[in-house]
Every structure is written in C-alpha cells, then in structure tokens.
C-alpha cells in the first residue's frame, strides 16, 4: 500500500471509513514511520481540539441579562391585575353612565327634598360632582396606564376599587332616597 | 416529541418562571461565550453579542419548535448573530479580515514560545498555543472548528446551523486541521 494522504489519516482517526479500509490503514501505519508520525500529530491535534480552552464570561453577565429581560417584560401578575382593574372600571363606568349620572341622582333628591334635610342634599350633590370628576380623571389615567402596561398596576386596581365602592355607595343612597320618596308619595 | 432537560426549562420559562431561564443561560453561557469570543476576538464585543443572543432567544422562545433540539436552534441563532456582526464590521476592522493573520496576541505568543524553546512546552502550553492558532485561521474554517469542538456538534447539526452541505463542512474541517498541523510542525511543537 502506498503512503496515506492526510485526508485518509483523518478519516481513519474520525472513524469515518469502512472496516476493510480501516484494517489496511492500521497495517500501513504499523510498517511506515512517516505516516505514523503524521497520524500521531493529527491524533495529538484531535486530543487538543477535544479539550477546548473555554473562556469564562464575566460573572455579572447572566444577572444583567436577567435584569434586562424581566424589566422589559411585564409580569403575568401585573397583567392579570390590570385586566381585573380594567374590568372593574368598565362595569363601574357602565353603571354610572346608564343608571347613575348625577342628574338622575339629583332627580331622586328632588323627589325627597321636602322630607330630607338640605345639608344632606348638598353633601350628596358635592360628592356626585367629585365622583364625576374622579371618574374622568381615572379614565384618562387608565388610558395612560394601559399604554405603559408595566407601570403601577396596583394603583390602577386601588383606584378601580375606590370608584366601585363609592359608586355603589351613591347607588345605595339613590335607592334609599327613591324608596323614601315613594313612601312619601304613598 | 422529545422532551429533554432544555425543553422542560423552556416550558417553565414560557409559563413565567424566571429561574428556569436563568438555569438555561447558565447551562449555555460558557459554550456560547467561548464560541463568540473566538469568532470576534474582542472581549467587549463578545460580551455584548452574548447578551444580545440570550435576549433574542428569550424574545423568540415562543416560536421555538419542540420537535427540534433546542441547542441546534439556539446555535443557529447565535451563529447568524455572530456572522452578521462580522460581516457588518469586516470593512471597518482589519483584525477581523478573513485572511489576515496579524493579531498582536499571536505575535507575542510566538515570541514567548521561541524564548522558551519548543521542546520544553508543557501539554497545557501546547493546548493553549493550538487554540490560539485556531483563533487566527480564516473565519470560514474557524467557525466550523469551533462548532465542532467547542460546541461539540455533529456534522449534520453543523450543516443545519451553517446551511452548508455536510461534504463542504468535512472538507473545510479537514483543511483547517491541515493548517493547524502545519503550524504545529512549523513551530516544532513536540509530537
Ligand atoms: Zn506511509
């Protein structure tokens, strides 16, 4: 057998040849010091390549990436809170719009004004004006907050709860007044 | 469908578990960084690219197809990121030029070796020297040596990542080894 070309030696070392060729090459390497030296060098190279000199990334790399990734992404809990807040806001707003405008409240007040102390009327009037104002402010801030998604979902939730609670309080007051007026009428 | 350790971590990450993605990064950071730094030969750039890589992986993680191995998919993204960077900077930065073997480190390492005398090189020194040589062979050979030996990929996986035919890859790796062997002989490293 003639001397081995480099690619044959490499294929032999890589186990990428037929078993017949393999034994032929092995036999040649036994009798030919030149090819054996070449094969030894390639084997040494393989050994070195199989043990790469790994470069250590700086220790702060992973923590920094974590910070960047999770600052840029809103948390699932934050999104859930925002959805809940939006829902509560929506329900409150529908309530207020259809049933609960300050005019309907004042109408209810008028029905009962003869039998209710005037200070109560004034207080409720003031509250309903403030309520309308807060509602508008909340609507604006909500639009802003949903744009920023990530920002203060807790605050949105608190505002929505306050609005719902005070809305229900006003609703109950109106009911109470109407009931009273009905009683007066009877 | 294969469900391996990586895929469990990906599922957890997609469900919002922070620790899972951190674990995934820890598993791959060294190999990715070793690959990137040998390709770009600049630590700062390598750090930036490694960060870009993991952030990219995170943002496209929901597009990962569980029928394929995560590592192949990830290395492909990494490879494209690095090659894009090299292409963009090739005209500006001489040291990244394919055929120029002119880095300072190489010259200084050669000097050190000459002073010490080749035959006194320890195994560890030989290893460091060869890996330094790897950094200085042209990109089209270097990338394949790195994918094969740093990332420990099979030829078929390298073909998927680089979109080169397996035959071309084998041929180039063979040429790269020839170059490295010649360098070993030229510098009289012990056999
Ligand atoms: Zn021979």
């Amino acid at each position: 057998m003639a001397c081995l070309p480099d690619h044959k030696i490499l294929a032999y070392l890589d186990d990428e040849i037929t078993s017949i060729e393999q034994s032929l090459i092995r036999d040649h390497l036994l009798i030919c010091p030149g090819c054996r030296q070449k094969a030894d060098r390639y084997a040494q190279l393989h050994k070195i390549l199989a043990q790469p000199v790994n470069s250590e990334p700086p220790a702060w790399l992973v923590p920094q990436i974590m910070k960047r990734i999770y600052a840029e992404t809103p948390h699932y809990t934050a999104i859930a809170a925002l959805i809940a807040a939006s829902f509560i806001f929506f329900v409150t707003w529908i309530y207020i719009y259809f049933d609960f405008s300050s005019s309907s409240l004042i109408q209810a007040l008028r029905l009962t004004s003869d039998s209710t102390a005037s200070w109560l009327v004034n207080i409720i009037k003031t509250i309903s004006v403030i309520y309308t104002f807060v509602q508008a402010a909340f609507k604006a801030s909500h639009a802003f907050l949903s744009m920023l998604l990530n920002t203060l979902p807790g605050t949105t939730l608190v505002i929505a709860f306050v609005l719902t609670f005070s809305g229900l309080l006003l609703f109950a007051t109106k009911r109470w007044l109407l009931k009273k007026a009905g009683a007066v009428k009877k | 469908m294969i469900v391996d350790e990586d895929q469990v971590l990906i599922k957890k990450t997609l469900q919002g578990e922070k620790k899972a993605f951190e674990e995934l990064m820890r598993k791959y950071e060294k190999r990715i960084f070793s690959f990137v730094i040998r390709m770009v030969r600049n630590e700062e750039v390598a750090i930036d690219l490694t960060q870009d890589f993991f952030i990219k992986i995170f943002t496209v993680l929901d597009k990962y197809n569980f029928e394929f191995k995560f590592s192949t998919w990830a290395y492909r993204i990494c490879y494209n990121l690095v090659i894009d960077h090299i292409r963009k900077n090739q005209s500006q930065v001489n040291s990244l030029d394919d055929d120029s073997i002119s880095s300072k480190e190489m010259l200084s390492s050669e000097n050190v070796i000459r002073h010490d005398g080749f035959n006194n090189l320890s195994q560890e020194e030989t290893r460091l020297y060869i890996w330094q040589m790897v950094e200085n062979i042209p990109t089209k050979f270097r990338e394949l040596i790195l994918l094969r030996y740093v990332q420990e990929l099979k030829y078929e996986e390298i073909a998927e990542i680089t979109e080169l035919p397996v035959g071309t890859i084998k041929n180039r790796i063979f040429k790269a080894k020839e170059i490295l062997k010649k360098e070993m002989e030229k510098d009289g490293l012990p056999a």
Side-chain angles (χ1 to χ4, degrees), chain A residues 1-4 28-29 31-36 38:
Chain A
M1 193 184 188
C3 272
L4 303 162
H28 180 82
L29 289 175
I31 54 155
C32 175
C35 285
R36 198 163 56 233
K38 245 201 289 194

Side-chain angles (χ1 to χ4, degrees), chain A residues 46-112:
Chain A
H46 275 191
K47 211 177 117 198
I48 289 169
L49 289 175
Q51 306 170 305
V53 180
N54 271 323
S55 311
E56 286 282 337
W60 49 260
L61 188 70
V62 166
Q64 182 165 309
I65 296 169
M66 287 297 284
K67 236 165 121 186
R68 272 181 67 184
I69 286 173
Y70 285 97
E72 281 163 11
T73 321
H75 301 275
Y76 289 104
T77 48
I79 295 170
L82 200 72
I83 290 169
S86 311
F87 180 72
I88 292 165
F89 169 78
F90 183 69
V91 169
T92 316
W93 200 82
I94 292 282
Y95 237 151
I96 288 158
Y97 189 81
F98 287 108
D99 186 47
F100 219 18
S101 58
S102 37
S103 62
S104 86
L105 183 72
I106 287 159
Q107 253 178 352
L109 282 170
R110 278 208 193 104
L111 284 171
T112 53

Side-chain angles (χ1 to χ4, degrees), chain B residues 102-168:
Chain B
S102 59
S103 101
K104 256 192 234 160
E105 292 95 345
M106 189 178 154
L107 292 173
S108 62
S109 78
E110 271 183 322
N111 287 340
V112 169
I113 286 156
R114 297 247 146 85
H115 282 300
D116 287 355
F118 314 123
N119 296 318
N120 295 330
L121 274 184
S122 70
Q123 269 195 321
E124 181 60 16
E125 281 168 322
T126 310
R127 186 172 147 243
L128 291 173
Y129 179 71
I130 291 299
W131 276 100
Q132 216 152 24
M133 296 305 311
V134 171
E135 279 180 40
N136 291 295
I137 59 176
T139 309
K140 67 173 181 177
F141 299 120
R142 184 167 76 237
E143 61 186 25
L144 300 179
I145 289 283
L146 296 179
L147 288 170
R148 181 91 173 105
Y149 294 101
V150 176
Q151 314 290 50
E152 295 172 338
L153 299 175
K154 295 184 189 110
Y155 288 122
E156 290 73 23
E157 289 174 307
I158 299 173
E160 237 176 274
I161 290 164
T162 58
E163 292 179 319
L164 291 169
V166 172
T168 308

